[in-house]
Amino acid sequence: MQFLGNIDAKVDNKGRVFVPASFRRILGEDTSLVLRLTADPGYAKLYPVSEWEKINEELKSKLNLWNKKDQAVYRQFTSMAENIELDVNGRMLLSKKNMEALGVDGDVVFAGVGDYIELWSRDRFEATMLDEGDLEAALEDIMK
């Protein structure tokens, strides 16, 4: 499963937004996603349920859930997530809380990041992008 590219979308006045058709094709029959707000404000990660289950199990396997710090980490990790169901038209509903946390006022970007999708406000997404020269230099350094 590989989500690639970035696609603009608009959130309507009820908080609904169409998940891009190219991403829905990758999801196939699965109309369930897990939305997790990031600790770094400004975007959310949308996981297919199967990917979320892998991440959740991997995290749990590294924690001692009898340890108070580990309990707090796991609690915060999971409490920042919620199940999202796509409607028959391929739309998801963003709660007011999530729209505020994301800084969404209408224009959003769905960015494919391999196994998951990121959801950004248009302005915040653009602010994170490197210019082409910096991106090429960074890739060159990484791939040495």
Side-chain angles (χ1 to χ4, degrees):
M1 185 176 309
Q2 282 288 325
F3 297 100
L4 300 172
N6 66 79
I7 301 163
D8 294 333
K10 289 208 177 280
V11 178
D12 70 16
N13 59 359
K14 294 181 181 178
R16 298 173 302 193
V17 61
F18 283 99
V19 173
S22 59
F23 292 166
R24 290 195 319 265
R25 278 192 293 279
I26 294 167
L27 289 168
E29 297 296 314
D30 192 0
T31 60
S32 298
L33 295 167
V34 175
L35 180 147
R36 183 175 182 283
L37 294 173
T38 61
D40 179 19
Y43 74 102
K45 293 182 178 181
L46 293 165
Y47 297 96
V49 172
S50 59
E51 287 301 317
W52 172 259
E53 289 171 351
K54 286 181 201 173
I55 290 167
N56 189 46
E57 287 305 312
E58 180 181 359
L59 177 59
K60 278 180 28 182
S61 75
K62 296 178 184 216
L63 296 173
N64 172 356
L65 294 179
W66 295 101
N67 174 285
K68 287 185 183 207
K69 183 179 178 189
D70 286 2
Q71 288 175 356
V73 166
Y74 189 65
R75 179 182 314 109
Q76 188 165 346
F77 179 77
T78 56
S79 70
M80 294 175 72
E82 65 183 83
N83 292 308
I84 299 286
E85 284 292 325
L86 303 185
D87 69 14
V88 295
N89 296 312
R91 295 177 300 192
M92 59 183 274
L93 179 64
L94 293 173
S95 67
K96 282 190 178 209
K97 175 186 86 169
N98 287 340
M99 288 179 63
E100 287 173 7
L102 296 170
V104 170
D105 61 0
D107 294 327
V108 296
V109 175
F110 287 89
V113 189
D115 296 338
Y116 63 93
I117 303 163
E118 291 179 349
L119 178 63
W120 292 81
S121 73
R122 159 72 37 215
D123 294 339
R124 289 181 179 174
F125 180 75
E126 288 176 355
T128 67
M129 301 303 283
L130 302 172
D131 70 36
E132 283 299 315
D134 290 342
L135 174 62
E136 292 301 321
L139 288 170
E140 185 177 326
D141 285 345
I142 292 166
M143 298 305 288
K144 283 184 181 176

